[in-house]
Amino acid sequence: MQSRTNERDMTAVIPRLRDMQLIRRDPWGEDESHPPLDVPTDEPPVGVTSWLVPGLVMATLGLIGIGRPALWTDELATWGVARSSWSEMFALLRWVDAIIGPYYALVHGWAELAGTSDTALRLPSVLAMAGAAALIGALGARLASPRAGLTAGLLFALLPTSSRFAQEARVYAFVVLCAALATYLLVRAVTRPRLWRWLAYLLAVAALGLLHPIALLLLAAHGWVVLAHYRGRTVGWLLAATVGALPALPLLRLGNQQKSQVAWIPPADVQTLLTLPREIFGVAWVGLLVGLLALFSLPLRRPVATLTAWATVPILGLYAAAQVTPLFLPRYLLFTLPAWALLAGVALGRVHVGLTIGTLAVIIALAVPQQLAIREPDGHSEAGHQLAALIADGYRTGDGVVYGSQDPGGSWVARDTVEHYVPANRRPLDLLATRPQRTGGQLAATECADTARCLGEASRLWIVRLGYHGDAVSGLGEPKEILLRQHYLAGQTWHLPGFTLALVTRRPS
């Protein structure tokens, strides 16, 4: 009897397999901090430090050297539109740049208050990037931890690309801001649904599409996340995303009629993808390091899946679209940069704080040369300041100037550069222009048909070309080229980043 009792006692502790529940634990402990949707919880605290510090760091870095680099081709387009009248701006948008018309309207209104200096035109981008860094910190704190948010926001602020486009008078900083805002609002809406949160998300999507319709590829990433992890919120998301995207449709239609503006973009291939890290992060080694850190943010729990979709789906979507029409430009994908920073921040939020600080120090060291380079006078690829200095220093009363009106990359760029940077009292006479740029719905100036009559007897002519030209006269256009070769002697030629400058003198009678 005692033997049977002992046997029963020994076997009673073995559970039946059908009653056994296997507990699978996340080794990082994130399942406990992010319970299922059906379990009501208090929202995790974000903390002021997580968003305020990255925002201030980004604003500081954006302001350092903001006015030193000369405006380049795209920024000169912004400058030209900002100083035009409203009627001239809308007439121009009928033929060029309609797809970013809302940004032009925004910067036009800003310029009426702040002016059109390089610093004034770039300041809104600095504020937008600082706002994006703050949102990255807040989103990281909400999805992972305050430390992860702070790390991600700082990492984003320290990237050379963030500074580069914070100091660019173009739309891209605003696109990054709207992408971060839309994703933050989506997270709030799917985890704690309220009508006003869906409306806020709708407005963020609308702003994103109006500023740059291509950035609506972010919705593909959002849709994947909702269907995979928040299926019960599908209807709410679908309605908000669809209505939010509608305002961008007229811009897409107008942009489709202006396809010539993207015809210069090369076809996308495997090599394009291989160079993407350098283009997006500013330094190839920084991109590689951030990418490796992103891998350590796995496993794909719900929060990290959101970030992974944001980082990768738009890239794949634009690459697929580029097989049909040339659209694949790395700067079109800058709105994925916050996601990469957040993935790296999540990984660094899991390790010892000393390793986190060390990694950020390595990124700073790798980024410093590029951070310095983008703040050089030709840091935006065109040496407008040097060009203007050469002309102003060598100017003589009565000098004229001839531009390469057929130069690839922008027949209007050389004229804008000279007009913007050369002082009026040292500026050569634009002898061939009969109608200014950005008038009558035309981007470039209209030039005199009778070249010989308009040039007259000018004893010296400056030739300003966009790009590198071994012979500054070659390719100017047949009437100008023939006349200059017959009546002028070649003088000095300067090859500057983005420009070719030459001075010719009239042959003796």
Side-chain angles (χ1 to χ4, degrees), residues 165-452:
F165 286 92
Q167 297 183 348
E168 169 133 338
R170 291 299 275 180
V171 72
Y172 304 108
F174 290 91
V175 176
V176 173
L177 172 64
C178 289
L181 179 61
T183 306
Y184 181 84
L185 292 172
L186 174 70
V187 170
R188 300 295 305 277
V190 295
T191 53
R192 298 177 69 87
R194 300 289 188 275
L195 177 60
W196 68 268
R197 285 178 176 166
W198 285 118
L199 289 175
Y201 173 72
L202 184 156
L203 293 175
V205 170
L208 180 68
L210 286 172
L211 289 169
H212 209 267
I214 290 177
L216 288 177
L217 286 168
L218 179 65
L219 294 181
H222 287 180
W224 183 89
V225 170
V226 171
L227 290 174
H229 297 286
Y230 304 97
R231 199 162 299 167
R233 318 296 192 222
T234 301
V235 174
W237 171 80
L238 194 58
L239 285 173
T242 301
V243 176
L246 288 178
L249 293 181
L251 296 178
L252 286 170
R253 182 173 178 273
L254 289 171
N256 188 57
Q257 296 172 356
Q258 300 173 4
K259 279 186 177 180
S260 60
Q261 291 191 269
V262 296
W264 61 272
I265 299 177
D269 53 21
V270 175
Q271 184 63 29
T272 306
L273 293 177
L274 293 177
T275 60
L276 194 60
R278 176 177 60 83
E279 298 292 339
I280 288 186
F281 294 96
V283 179
W285 286 108
V286 172
L288 179 62
L289 179 57
V290 173
L292 289 174
L293 289 172
L295 291 177
F296 283 95
S297 66
L298 304 179
L300 286 175
R301 295 301 187 236
R302 185 176 294 135
V304 177
T306 302
L307 304 176
T308 304
W310 180 4
T312 58
V313 171
I315 295 175
L316 298 175
L318 188 60
Y319 183 80
Q323 307 309 307
V324 179
T325 186
L327 286 174
F328 199 96
L329 273 184
R331 58 179 177 266
Y332 290 175
L333 292 165
L334 283 175
F335 66 90
T336 65
L337 196 59
W340 292 104
L342 281 161
L343 287 171
V346 169
L348 290 174
R350 294 168 171 164
V351 299
H352 190 274
V353 65
L355 183 58
T356 300
I357 295 173
T359 303
L360 291 176
V362 170
I363 290 175
I364 291 172
L366 292 172
V368 162
Q370 185 64 11
Q371 291 278 17
L372 296 175
I374 62 177
R375 290 172 173 83
E376 291 295 320
D378 59 350
H380 288 195
S381 76
E382 292 173 9
H385 291 305
Q386 295 96 310
L387 177 79
L390 286 169
I391 294 175
D393 291 344
Y395 172 79
R396 294 181 188 173
T397 303
D399 282 358
V401 61
V402 175
Y403 298 100
S405 55
Q406 299 178 5
D407 291 344
S411 59
W412 42 271
V413 176
R415 262 192 178 88
D416 275 356
T417 302
V418 171
E419 183 175 358
H420 184 42
Y421 290 115
V422 181
N425 62 342
R426 308 287 297 174
R427 190 182 306 153
L429 298 173
D430 192 353
L431 299 170
L432 295 180
T434 59
R435 184 174 64 184
Q437 306 204 124
R438 300 177 185 86
T439 56
Q442 300 297 316
L443 178 60
T446 301
E447 292 193 346
C448 177
D450 189 346
T451 304

Side-chain angles (χ1 to χ4, degrees), residues 99-123:
I99 202 164
I100 57 171
Y103 169 73
Y104 279 153
L106 178 67
V107 78
H108 195 292
W110 167 258
E112 290 185 344
L113 298 174
T116 58
S117 68
D118 294 0
T119 299
L121 291 175
R122 288 168 173 163
L123 186 57

